[in-house]
Amino acid sequence: MAQNLAGKLAEKALGHVSNPAREGGKYADESGERMKALVWMGNNDVRSKTPKPGIIDDHDVIVQVAGSTVCGSDVHLMHGVIVQTEKGDILGHEFIGRVESVGPAVAKLSPGDRVVNSFCISWGECRYSKAKLPTACERTNASRLNAPNAEFVRVPLADNNLLKLPDSVPDEKGLYLSDVLPTSYHAVTYTGVKEGDIVAIWGLGPIGFMACYWAKKRGAKRVIGIDNNWRTDYAKAKIPGVETINYEHLKSDQTVPNKVHELVPGGVDVSIDATGGEYGKSFSHKVELATGMEQDTSEMINEAIYSTRKFGKVGVIGDYVGFTNHFNIGAVMELGITLVGCGQAPVQKYWEELLKMVKNGEVDPTIMLTHRIGLDDIDKAYKLQEQRAKGLVKCFVETRFSGKRLEGTPELTRL
């Protein structure tokens, strides 16, 4: 919580990038034009329409959004879990589009350029930015909100935070270079998954789903995806060779670690937690979360620790924002577990490598794409994401600037 509060103060000093109407329209376009957007107005209260953003810094770029999406971590913002969120903020952090206008100090981008964003904003000049670790940027670490669930977005420090895309990469593939592809790739890379490993991954939302894909691609001998719903069947159907555990189907006296050790005696080499800490599994954690006695549940991390072999690795890529109770530090020490906090993915570190894979067809991110919706329905999509509604893995949100739908991808659905 202290880090969240510190981030709020830092963002106040830097400028709040996700609310054009703030301070009497200080960040709005001079034309007074308004746009459709998903605007947070309080816990579980989201609405549309807000002023179009304008250039306020020489390094800014304004982008016409041609496609966006909804992420599980957006739900944290909708619930008001992140204290930096203020009434009027536009939610979201992934988009693709075309540059409409640029500030006078922008050197690498021009109006008309087709671009995808990094979900986090980095300065580009500090030691972490230069090391391609943008989420550790010493100047802009607090400014994660990129506000793309809208028709226009202002991108600060745009030369460092937008990637130009060739026209050969369609929107429905290029969009996911903003977060899902680099985040899932980072989870597998940073935890050191290698050829011959046995890997277990908790959570089969987009990040966990694609982490299963990357683990198989890196040569893992076995990959076990763990969830409690229809997404286990979806993963098995889309990623050849993936095994799954639906823990809703386990016997009443059987735990997930029990099942993992039944499948892999001694435990897996690498476990990855792609769930996040907002949703309690047991009654005690549900109570503690609801009463503010803890900020995150430790249940999935503990399951991952218990499921991992001695001197194996446990990586955490799911969103956790603060303190937890009942974390088994003793098991980490006694079993020699390497606990890896993956951090928010350093998007720029992997951008060019992943773009090449998408461009040459080596990876097709549309295997996770299940829905195409309009911006008018984005608030409903948030609710479906929160509910883990059957059939929804990842959506493509079209706007008035979207191009023709890529053949073979979902058609537009009204929610």
Side-chain angles (χ1 to χ4, degrees), residues 254-404:
Q254 189 173 35
T255 66
V256 171
N258 290 158
K259 185 63 177 178
V260 171
H261 282 275
E262 178 184 310
L263 296 172
V264 187
V268 301
D269 299 297
V270 178
S271 290
I272 296 174
D273 175 8
T275 63
E278 186 176 356
Y279 301 102
K281 186 175 177 181
S282 67
F283 177 77
S284 61
H285 277 279
K286 288 178 180 177
V287 170
E288 289 172 0
L289 287 167
T291 58
M293 294 176 66
E294 68 176 351
Q295 293 168 283
D296 293 303
T297 174
S298 60
E299 292 161 289
M300 297 304 184
I301 295 177
N302 282 339
E303 286 187 356
I305 292 168
Y306 303 148
S307 301
T308 305
R309 66 166 174 82
K310 297 173 183 178
F311 293 94
K313 291 183 178 180
V314 173
V316 182
I317 194 64
D319 274 339
Y320 288 83
V321 299
F323 294 94
T324 186
N325 298 331
H326 317 293
F327 171 64
N328 196 336
I329 187 65
V332 173
M333 186 275 166
E334 293 294 343
L335 298 175
I337 298 292
T338 299
L339 186 61
V340 181
C342 294
Q344 301 291 342
V347 176
Q348 287 88 333
K349 181 175 183 178
Y350 303 114
W351 252 353
E352 294 180 2
E353 179 184 1
L354 293 172
L355 174 58
K356 183 177 179 180
M357 291 184 193
V358 172
K359 184 178 178 181
N360 66 21
E362 189 177 343
V363 58
D364 180 6
T366 65
I367 62 172
M368 63 178 164
L369 180 56
T370 56
H371 288 69
R372 184 185 186 95
I373 63 171
L375 187 58
D376 288 337
D377 283 334
I378 188 71
D379 57 332
K380 300 181 184 72
Y382 266 63
K383 299 295 185 182
L384 292 177
Q385 184 73 47
E386 177 185 28
Q387 297 161 6
R388 295 173 173 82
K390 187 169 184 177
L392 175 61
V393 177
K394 196 68 173 174
C395 65
F396 180 90
V397 180
E398 71 172 33
T399 75
R400 61 186 165 115
F401 300 114
S402 297
K404 183 179 178 182

Side-chain angles (χ1 to χ4, degrees), residues 37-157:
L38 185 72
V39 179
W40 186 80
M41 295 303 294
N43 191 16
N44 290 316
D45 181 5
V46 289
R47 309 171 192 175
S48 62
K49 290 289 186 183
T50 193
K52 173 185 174 181
I55 288 176
I56 62 172
D57 182 87
D58 288 351
H59 297 273
D60 287 349
V61 156
I62 303 298
V63 175
Q64 296 175 341
V65 176
S68 184
T69 189
V70 176
C71 175
S73 60
D74 293 333
V75 175
H76 297 301
L77 300 176
M78 185 175 72
H79 290 169
V81 172
I82 308 301
V83 299
Q84 288 98 316
T85 311
E86 298 181 359
K87 287 186 177 181
D89 283 352
I90 302 168
L91 302 184
H93 56 260
E94 303 163 72
F95 70 90
I96 192 170
R98 289 193 182 274
V99 173
E100 181 190 62
S101 56
V102 302
V106 175
K108 300 178 183 178
L109 299 163
S110 302
D113 283 345
R114 191 159 165 268
V115 293
V116 63
N117 77 306
S118 164
F119 76 87
C120 63
I121 296 296
S122 65
W123 181 24
E125 296 299 325
C126 70
R127 61 171 178 157
Y128 291 108
S129 296
K130 290 179 178 178
K132 296 295 181 72
L133 297 172
T135 48
C137 178
E138 294 174 327
R139 179 177 177 184
T140 64
N141 191 37
S143 300
R144 284 192 60 213
L145 306 183
N146 228 342
N149 289 160
E151 294 177 313
F152 296 90
V153 60
R154 177 177 71 92
V155 181
L157 305 166

Side-chain angles (χ1 to χ4, degrees), residues 217-253:
K217 188 173 177 58
R218 290 178 75 91
K221 181 168 63 176
R222 296 175 67 184
V223 176
I224 303 168
I226 302 163
D227 213 315
N228 68 336
N229 53 45
W230 58 271
R231 296 192 297 196
T232 56
D233 292 330
Y234 186 88
K236 287 174 70 173
K238 292 290 184 177
I239 307 174
V242 165
E243 305 168 55
T244 61
I245 296 173
N246 184 333
Y247 59 80
E248 285 294 309
H249 296 165
L250 297 179
K251 299 176 182 178
S252 59
D253 61 346

